Amino acid sequence: MTTTRQPSDTTLPADARLARELLDGLAEAVLTTDGTGRVTLTNATAQQLLPEITIGTDLARCPVAALARAFADDAAQFYAEHHGRRLHGTRRQLAGSRYAWYVRDVTEEHAHTAALRTERARTAFLAQTGSRLGLSLHRDQVLLATTTLAVPYLADLAVALPRPATPTGSPTRWIRYADGEPTAVAGLTPASLTGTVPGVAAALAGEFVEPGPWPDAGPADLATLLPPGFGPGTVLVSPLLSADRSAGALLLIRRVGRPGFDERDVQLAREFAARAGAALTSADLHGEQAHLAQVLQTSLLPPELPTVPGVAIAGGYRAAGDTLRIGGDFYEVFPHPRGALFALGDVCGKGVGAAVLTGRVRQSLRTLRLVEQRPLELIQLLDRALADAPDAARQSQLTTLLLGSIDSGPGGLDIRIAGGGHPAPLLVTADGTVSTVPVGGMPVGALTVARFAETRVHLAPGDLLLAYTDGVTSARGPRDLATFGVARLRAVLASAAGLSPAALVDRVRQAVDEWLAGEAHDDIAMLAVGAPTPG
């Protein structure tokens, strides 16, 4: 099979009409020049884009300045704004000293590129604001971030007007930041603001409003919202929306001379305000939770121990959580004419759930000890009281407990201890002997039929009794994850013989802290009772 190859120098037909049709059908403008720079040919697109350039026009003096400069500088391309269109021209040398200029209308291409850059900038702005606002958990921090992030990207000045944190009707505290100011400024919102600035009342009600001119108000009305010399032009008011209501209003103000807010600006501003509103709502919720936690902490932390004549007593407490210092371990001391009644317990779990049950147990003890002060009988009453709680069947309320009654006498202290499944207390005699005081019993409030036990112990002058929760012995340090254990606790107590109850508690706590070496731990509670030495 033979293949015939067409020569590359095949002569094209010389058809001037066909050539013209081909040139006029091009989307690019085409200009050809002779060796002196005079135009020798233009196509139909050139006549539309560059009507001033005709055959015979000298490019060095043509009305399109960018093209004239390109010709004078012998440049291979030019960019020009002409009749509201953006043009890009490139030069190609023809035979001899002739040239052809190809000019494209890149207006739409440039617009698409600019729109893409703008969209990328908006996306980056929202990503930055989301990150910054998400890190703020305090009301004022959110308001400060809201105003500083909005300037200058959205406006030249931003004012955040939150709703009051409490429904007291007190004036709200605004925060303002303006481009050029070193820091944000805060103040109290003037009463006339909602009626003077259009859209503020609507934004506080959760409604959207269109941007408009800054109101022509007297200096006494709104001067405090603007820095000295600031010339407001247009203002956009957006609600700081939360899930179900407006958390405030955001005023975005642009100076005179800066273009107003177009539709895309309004959409971006509203999206930003919505994110700021969500962050403000989260901060308010966090503040409410912190306040509730503080109230709960105040009510549930172990109380300051009372002074009991003839009895030396000290307590130590540390919750597992570092932020909410409440948990499931507790102790109580109730003085009575012969000495005191004490309790030390450990509620199943940790955190708020354990703290709620701790409060119930402690409150029940405070009430029941008014009618019964014998330890064994009192722990039985407490067990029935917890079992009769309305939600007892719906949640675990396992509690281990030691209840003790202290009778002070000239020969020391006589103690009766009732046990409810709690670790046995340890007796430290004056000579450093450490022994276990076995008690036994079942956990309180856990079983339909529970059995409890009672034992007696005598503390001679100089002796100490330590009751503790398992957070002490189960503390795990970084060394092979071993627990502190009862053996180490007994060794610490032996070395602390002769110390006061307060010093003994501090010694144990220091030893446990050294063992933990910064590791997490369970709730810890201790109660030390001592018989003072004469004199």
Side-chain angles (χ1 to χ4, degrees), residues 282-430:
S282 297
D284 287 344
L285 180 59
H286 179 269
E288 293 174 3
Q289 292 176 337
H291 175 69
L292 291 175
Q294 183 178 10
V295 172
L296 186 61
Q297 172 183 307
T298 302
S299 65
L300 293 180
L301 282 177
E304 183 177 350
L305 295 180
T307 300
V308 181
V311 181
I313 193 164
Y317 175 80
R318 183 180 299 164
D322 294 331
T323 54
L324 186 61
R325 295 172 44 243
I326 54 178
D329 292 7
F330 66 95
Y331 57 78
E332 292 277 4
V333 175
F334 307 106
H336 59 62
R338 302 178 310 279
L341 183 71
F342 70 86
L344 181 136
D346 183 357
V347 169
C348 176
K350 63 182 66 176
V352 176
V356 171
L357 183 53
T358 301
R360 178 184 299 163
V361 173
R362 291 173 62 186
Q363 187 60 43
S364 299
L365 276 174
R366 290 169 186 161
T367 303
L368 294 174
R369 58 101 182 179
L370 298 177
V371 297
E372 180 59 72
Q373 295 186 354
R374 294 173 296 176
L376 183 59
E377 287 75 5
L378 180 55
I379 201 171
Q380 291 170 343
L381 285 176
L382 177 64
D383 181 68
R384 291 199 297 270
L386 294 178
D388 290 340
D391 59 349
R394 295 194 300 271
Q395 68 176 21
S396 172
Q397 53 177 17
L398 175 67
T399 303
T400 64
L401 185 67
L402 290 177
L403 271 176
S405 178
I406 308 171
D407 288 338
S408 175
L413 304 178
D414 291 316
I415 303 178
R416 297 170 58 188
I417 305 174
H422 197 82
L426 296 174
L427 173 63
V428 186
T429 60

Side-chain angles (χ1 to χ4, degrees), residues 403-465:
L403 271 176
S405 178
I406 308 171
D407 288 338
S408 175
L413 304 178
D414 291 316
I415 303 178
R416 297 170 58 188
I417 305 174
H422 197 82
L426 296 174
L427 173 63
V428 186
T429 60
D431 62 0
T433 301
V434 180
S435 59
T436 301
V437 181
V439 182
M442 297 181 178
V444 180
L447 303 173
T448 304
V449 178
R451 296 178 181 179
F452 306 103
E454 184 180 86
T455 190
R456 296 172 183 263
V457 63
H458 177 76
L459 300 187
D463 292 347
L464 291 171
L465 180 73

Side-chain angles (χ1 to χ4, degrees), residues 30-45:
V30 179
L31 306 173
T32 61
T33 62
D34 60 15
T36 65
R38 292 188 178 277
V39 176
T40 58
L41 179 145
T42 63
N43 69 346
T45 305

Side-chain angles (χ1 to χ4, degrees), residues 476-482 514-519:
R476 292 185 181 274
R479 292 166 285 189
D480 301 326
L481 296 178
E514 291 175 354
W515 181 258
L516 285 168
E519 296 294 317

Side-chain angles (χ1 to χ4, degrees), residues 197-217:
V197 180
V200 171
L204 292 175
E207 302 175 5
F208 294 102
V209 294
E210 296 300 320
W214 181 254
D216 185 15

